[in-house]
């Protein structure tokens, strides 16, 4: 009857919850171990300056090399790292590794590092960034920290204070995934960003008749008026690239130019990019 079915459904649900909780718990333990073992790797995706046609920056994107599961994407483990606080250790490793790697690149190429809202809240971010710069010798102006709007909505004053501390160090601040989540144009006035990264959601149907190109144009205009640059994320077609150039977007990032690649491959890409630039000029 209905009653026993209900009970069965409930039990099934409970068992499902249990399995999920166990899987998550085991992933958490493996993640802890992976941090101790150093099983992570950074890939780098170039950002191309649309006018100059040269790579201006490379974004560090973390990968987990799992012994059985292969490469695990950050979308699958960053949330667990955030819930467990492990993101602080991982973020520290990412920051130092990315700064060290960038020392092998041409000097005009910046390196972008994603900073989780949890790291941002930890109060030691500016200290960690200063330490990473000192340890690697990277010029502060070559480091771009990518933060999301999530860090801004909670505590305006505290967030503003941290952003100013970072600014004092001479690093650049980029607002990542702009247009998703709790976007507010007022953030752009209130906080000192150097760059706005326009989310792929707006680039995807840029060529269509929808509102995307109007939105991108508006963001580019606001950015220009406040001395900020803009980067289009997830550029996959020539058509998108051409439109972005017309709209006045500063940089593009996406599979059209390059997927994220290993540190050895990014060095190769950057040295051939420099040769091209030299032979053109
Ligand atoms: P994100 O910072 O917005 O990074 C861009 C993501 O878009 C990357 O995914 C990149 O591979 C992907 N992407 C780039 N171009 C294209 C394209 O043309 N088409 C499509 N479909 N996708 C493109 P990935 O590497 O899987 O990273 C996902 C997210 O994980 C990142 O989004 C970032 O929020 C987070 N993440 C990655 N590395 C780190 C890290 O070291 N620390 C923290 N806190 N988060 C990280
Ligand atoms: Mg990013
Ligand atoms: Mg992004
Ligand atoms: Mg994005």
């Amino acid at each position: 009857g209905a009653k026993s079915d209900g009970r069965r459904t409930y039990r099934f649900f409970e068992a499902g919850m249990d399995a999920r909780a166990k899987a998550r718990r085991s992933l958490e333990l493996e993640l802890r171990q992976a941090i101790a073992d150093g099983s992570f790797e950074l890939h780098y995706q170039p950002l191309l300056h649309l006018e100059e046609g040269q790579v201006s920056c490379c974004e560090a994107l973390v990968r987990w090399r799992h012994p059985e599961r292969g490469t695990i994407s950050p979308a699958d483990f960053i949330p667990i790292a955030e819930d467990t606080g492990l993101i602080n250790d991982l973020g520290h490793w990412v920051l130092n590794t990315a700064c060290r790697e960038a020392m092998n690149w041409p000097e005009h190429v910046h390196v972008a590092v994603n900073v989780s809202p949890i790291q941002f809240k930890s109060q030691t971010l500016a200290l960690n960034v200063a330490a990473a710069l000192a340890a690697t010798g990277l010029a502060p102006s070559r480091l771009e920290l990518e933060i999301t709007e999530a860090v801004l909505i909670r505590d305006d004053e505290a967030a503003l204070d941290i952003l100013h501390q970072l600014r004092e160090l001479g690093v650049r601040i980029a607002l990542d995934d702009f247009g998703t989540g709790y976007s507010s144009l007022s953030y752009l006035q209130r906080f000192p960003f150097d760059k706005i990264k326009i989310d792929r959601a707006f680039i995807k149907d840029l060529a269509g008749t929808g509102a995307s190109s109007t939105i991108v144009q508006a963001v580019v205009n606001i950015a220009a008026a406040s001395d900020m640059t803009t980067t289009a994320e997830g550029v996959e077609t020539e058509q998108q690239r051409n439109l972005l150039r017309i709209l006045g977007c500063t940089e593009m990032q996406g599979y059209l130019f390059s997927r994220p690649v290993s540190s050895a491959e990014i060095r190769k890409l950057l040295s051939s990019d420099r040769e091209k630039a030299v032979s053109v000029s």
Side-chain angles (χ1 to χ4, degrees), residues 114-269:
N114 290 286
V115 174
S116 152
I118 309 291
Q119 282 174 277
F120 196 85
K121 264 196 327 197
S122 77
Q123 301 294 328
T124 57
L125 182 61
L127 223 59
N128 291 340
V129 169
L133 293 169
T136 59
L138 186 77
S141 60
R142 291 182 63 194
L143 178 61
E144 299 183 1
L145 299 175
E146 298 194 359
I147 61 161
T148 56
E149 291 151 308
V151 310
L152 308 178
I153 51 169
R154 288 191 196 111
D155 187 345
D156 264 23
E157 283 309 310
L160 197 55
D161 188 52
I162 294 167
L163 288 174
H164 283 303
Q165 287 175 30
L166 294 169
R167 263 286 176 87
E168 291 278 286
L169 295 175
V171 302
R172 289 166 202 267
I173 317 282
L175 183 57
D176 203 358
D177 304 331
F178 184 73
T180 61
Y182 307 90
S183 292
S184 159
L185 289 179
S186 68
Y187 290 149
L188 302 182
Q189 284 192 306
R190 220 158 353 126
F191 297 97
F193 301 113
D194 298 283
K195 177 185 284 190
I196 305 170
K197 300 189 75 174
I198 306 168
D199 195 74
R200 186 165 68 90
F202 299 100
I203 311 305
K204 236 175 25 205
D205 50 11
L206 198 57
T209 48
S212 286
S213 72
T214 312
I215 291 169
V216 170
Q217 183 72 82
V219 176
V220 166
N221 289 345
I222 292 167
S226 319
D227 251 338
M228 297 184 280
T229 63
T230 44
T231 305
E233 297 191 287
V235 179
E236 296 184 350
T237 70
E238 285 292 349
Q239 196 183 14
Q240 289 165 347
R241 184 225 288 254
N242 293 338
L243 269 166
L244 287 162
R245 209 183 262 140
I246 292 165
L247 292 172
C249 194
T250 320
E251 295 171 322
M252 61 160 254
Q253 175 178 11
Y255 296 168
L256 175 66
F257 182 66
S258 171
R259 289 186 174 249
V261 296
S262 70
S263 62
E265 285 173 277
I266 201 72
R267 282 191 219 183
K268 258 188 275 169
L269 187 149

Side-chain angles (χ1 to χ4, degrees), residues 42-54:
L42 291 185
H43 281 193
Y44 298 89
Q45 187 178 34
L47 279 67
L48 194 74
H49 196 281
L50 277 164
E51 275 298 312
E52 291 160 15
Q54 242 194 315

Side-chain angles (χ1 to χ4, degrees), residues 51-69:
E51 275 298 312
E52 291 160 15
Q54 242 194 315
V55 175
S56 43
C57 180
C58 296
E59 179 175 3
L61 294 159
V62 69
R63 304 288 181 257
W64 177 5
R65 298 209 153 276
H66 192 281
E68 290 113 45
R69 288 185 245 200

Side-chain angles (χ1 to χ4, degrees), residues 13 43 88-89 100 152 239 272:
F13 180 65
H43 281 193
N88 287 309
D89 285 343
R100 203 180 321 117
L152 308 178
Q239 196 183 14
S272 74

